[in-house]
């Protein structure tokens, strides 16, 4: 005699599994690539400091804004930016939540990333120094992020068994589909965990990018450069790379920049040498961080632009009357004689303010293939 109850359970399980298979396959197969118009656009969101939603008060806003301002202003700004820019990738560069004011870390993370999740646009995140100060450890925060919908974040590289931090990974951006570059990474993105606070008793202050992370970066960069110079469409130089993490490097203390500098450079009190490591690797053209909310500048040093995004979140410290802001970066491919798309021609950036018009400011070219060839 057939046990109908067990049969029904099996049929239900099979039905659920069949529904999940396409979703899991899509998540595994999802690949970043340039759009048919030859562009790849990245929206950087720094320091949301999300806490408890509508009950969370804002910091450093005008008196007229205070009564109606909360985390929901941060959510609204993110939704407006996604609709206005329609990015190919959204990058959250740490302090995504403000742990001390977030009762349930998982709930706050879900709310903070909700507009990105709902947009169905790929997104990634790295950790800042405040993300783990709620109910989740630093590792648990990154594991929770990796489990959210539409994210391409990773806890750490699979091939590396020992590495400091949580959230060290890279993403490859392929060329336009249907061109000779569709299976070649023409833009490489590096994400690193810059830590929270020093764990060395004799060294005060913030954390830094450790030797194990730098070793992983060096090997990854070298591998990507080898692949880029192989057929098909073998290239002479490396594909441009961009690096994202939370805490700025000491080298951000530059005098030549576009944008504003209103905060001191709150880097680690020791120089771990990661800037020198990137210079030696030769592919990174720009670095993007958060942490110092009142800085939004890009300064160039030894061929690498060092850029802040400016504070995004309303629960984060800011400056009354100085609009919250976000940074946009766009890679543009070169147009070929046959009408197709080739390698990356230029990388540009600008910022948008959270005002009535989402005003764009400080547009600049970070890198171009023509100037690099001179």
């Amino acid at each position: 005699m057939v046990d109908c109850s067990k049969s029904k359970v099996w049929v239900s399980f099979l039905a659920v599994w069949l529904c999940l298979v396409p979703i899991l396959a899509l998540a595994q197969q999802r690949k970043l690539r340039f759009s048919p118009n030859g562009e790849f656009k990245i929206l950087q969101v720094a320091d949301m400091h999300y806490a408890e939603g509508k009950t969370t008060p804002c910091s450093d806003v005008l008196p007229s804004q205070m009564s109606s301002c909360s985390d929901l202003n941060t959510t609204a700004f993110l939704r407006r930016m996604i609709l206005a820019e329609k990015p190919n990738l959204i990058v959250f560069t740490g302090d995504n939540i403000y742990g001390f004011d977030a009762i349930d870390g998982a709930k706050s993370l879900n709310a903070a990333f909700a507009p990105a999740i709902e947009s169905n646009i790929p997104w990634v995140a790295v950790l800042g120094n405040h993300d783990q100060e709620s109910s989740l450890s630093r590792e648990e925060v990154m594991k929770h992020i990796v489990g959210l919908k539409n994210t391409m974040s990773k806890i750490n590289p699979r091939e590396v068994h020992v590495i400091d931090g949580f959230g060290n990974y890279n993403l490859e951006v392929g060329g336009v589909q249907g061109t000779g570059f569709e299976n070649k990474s023409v833009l490489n993105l590096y994400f690193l965990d810059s830590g929270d606070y020093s764990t060395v008793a004799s060294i005060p202050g913030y954390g830094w990018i450790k030797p194990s992370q730098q070793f992983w970066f060096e090997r990854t960069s070298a591998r990507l450069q080898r692949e880029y110079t192989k057929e098909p469409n073998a290239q002479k130089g490396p594909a441009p790379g961009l690096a994202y993490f939370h805490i700025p490097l000491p080298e951000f203390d530059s005098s030549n920049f576009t944008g504003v500098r209103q905060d001191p450079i709150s880097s680690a009190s020791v120089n771990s040498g990661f800037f020198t490591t990137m210079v030696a690797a030769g592919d990174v053209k720009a670095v993007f961080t958060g942490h110092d909310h009142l800085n939004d500048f890009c300064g160039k040093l030894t061929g690498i632009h060092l850029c802040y995004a400016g504070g995004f979140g309303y629960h984060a410290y800011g400056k009354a009357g100085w609009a919250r802001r976000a940074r946009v970066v766009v890679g543009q491919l070169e147009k070929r004689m046959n009408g197709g798309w080739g390698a990356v021609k230029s990388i540009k950036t600008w910022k948008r303010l959270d005002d009535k018009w989402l005003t764009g400011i400080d547009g600049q070219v970070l890198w171009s293939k023509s100037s690099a060839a001179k």
Side-chain angles (χ1 to χ4, degrees):
M1 184 174 181
V2 177
D3 188 336
C4 293
S5 61
K6 289 184 179 179
S7 298
K8 289 178 181 178
V9 170
W10 173 248
V11 170
S12 298
F13 173 79
L14 184 61
V16 171
W17 173 247
L18 289 173
C19 289
L20 284 175
V21 166
I23 297 172
L24 293 171
L26 179 63
Q28 292 173 349
Q29 293 174 3
R30 195 165 198 176
K31 178 178 175 59
L32 296 176
R33 64 173 63 259
F34 276 72
S35 299
N37 66 352
E39 286 188 354
F40 188 84
K41 183 182 290 187
I42 302 171
L43 169 62
Q44 182 192 358
V45 177
D47 300 272
M48 287 192 293
H49 278 233
Y50 206 95
E52 292 294 301
K54 65 181 180 181
T55 62
T56 301
C58 292
S59 300
D60 300 320
V61 295
L62 296 171
S64 60
Q65 298 173 287
M66 187 60 74
S67 62
S68 61
C69 190
S70 71
D71 277 334
L72 299 187
N73 289 61
T74 302
T75 299
F77 182 27
L78 182 51
R79 286 199 173 109
R80 293 179 72 206
M81 283 298 305
I82 291 171
L83 287 172
E85 291 290 358
K86 298 177 178 60
N88 299 94
L89 179 69
I90 306 167
V91 178
F92 297 92
T93 50
D95 283 1
N96 308 294
I97 62 172
Y98 187 63
F100 286 129
D101 292 338
I103 297 170
D104 183 331
K107 184 178 177 181
S108 294
L109 287 165
N110 294 346
F113 297 127
I117 294 170
E118 295 162 3
S119 73
N120 206 35
I121 294 170
W123 62 275
V124 295
V126 293
L127 303 183
N129 52 294
H130 290 303
D131 288 292
Q132 77 291 339
E133 294 167 341
S134 181
S135 57
L136 301 177
S137 69
R138 199 166 180 82
E139 181 177 8
E140 289 170 336
V141 169
M142 201 65 210
K143 284 183 176 179
H144 184 83
I145 290 172
V146 168
L148 294 175
K149 184 181 178 183
N150 293 325
T151 189
M152 298 183 77
S153 306
K154 301 176 185 177
I155 296 173
N156 273 327
R158 290 182 180 179
E159 72 277 9
V160 178
H161 299 294
V162 179
I163 189 169
D164 288 278
F166 304 97
N168 303 286
Y169 54 102
N170 72 289
L171 294 176
E172 302 176 20
V173 185
V176 175
Q177 194 162 13
T179 69
F181 285 85
E182 68 174 335
N183 295 317
K184 189 180 284 287
S185 181
V186 296
L187 179 66
N188 297 313
L189 308 178
Y190 303 100
F191 305 93
L192 297 103
D193 181 2
S194 54
D196 49 8
Y197 303 97
S198 172
T199 57
V200 181
S202 59
I203 301 175
Y206 294 108
W208 56 88
I209 295 171
K210 306 297 196 304
S212 63
Q213 297 167 279
Q214 296 188 46
F215 181 61
W216 163 78
F217 164 79
E218 287 177 310
R219 293 190 66 179
T220 303
S221 172
R223 173 182 62 80
L224 292 169
Q225 291 188 47
R226 286 195 301 271
E227 292 173 358
Y228 197 60
T229 56
K230 291 179 181 178
E231 295 292 348
N233 287 307
Q235 300 295 298
K236 294 181 179 180
L242 307 176
Y244 289 87
F245 45 91
H246 181 69
I247 298 174
L249 304 172
E251 286 83 1
F252 270 65
D253 196 1
S254 171
S255 59
N256 182 23
F257 55 81
T258 298
V260 298
R261 174 177 172 172
Q262 303 172 107
D263 271 338
I265 310 301
S266 298
S267 61
S269 58
V270 296
N271 192 324
S272 69
F274 186 50
F275 180 78
T276 304
T277 298
M278 288 189 290
V279 171
D283 61 335
V284 173
K285 308 306 177 187
V287 174
F288 303 94
T289 68
H291 194 52
D292 299 325
H293 308 173
L294 296 180
N295 293 342
D296 72 351
F297 64 80
C298 276
K300 190 175 183 180
L301 180 66
T302 322
I304 298 178
H305 273 90
L306 303 173
C307 301
Y308 281 103
F312 190 97
Y314 278 85
H315 186 49
Y317 82 81
K319 183 178 180 181
W322 195 70
R324 265 59 175 185
R325 57 203 59 209
R327 181 173 290 281
V328 179
V329 175
V330 176
Q332 176 66 56
L333 301 179
E334 57 185 356
K335 194 76 171 178
R336 297 202 144 184
M337 295 291 289
N338 61 4
W341 296 105
V344 176
K345 176 184 178 182
S346 65
I347 299 172
K348 301 177 182 179
T349 187
W350 60 85
K351 291 160 294 189
R352 280 190 185 264
L353 310 181
D354 190 17
D355 58 17
K356 182 179 179 180
W357 307 275
L358 284 179
T359 304
I361 62 170
D362 294 339
Q364 63 183 118
V365 176
L366 298 177
W367 177 84
S368 69
K369 190 173 183 179
S370 58
S371 62
K374 293 179 181 178

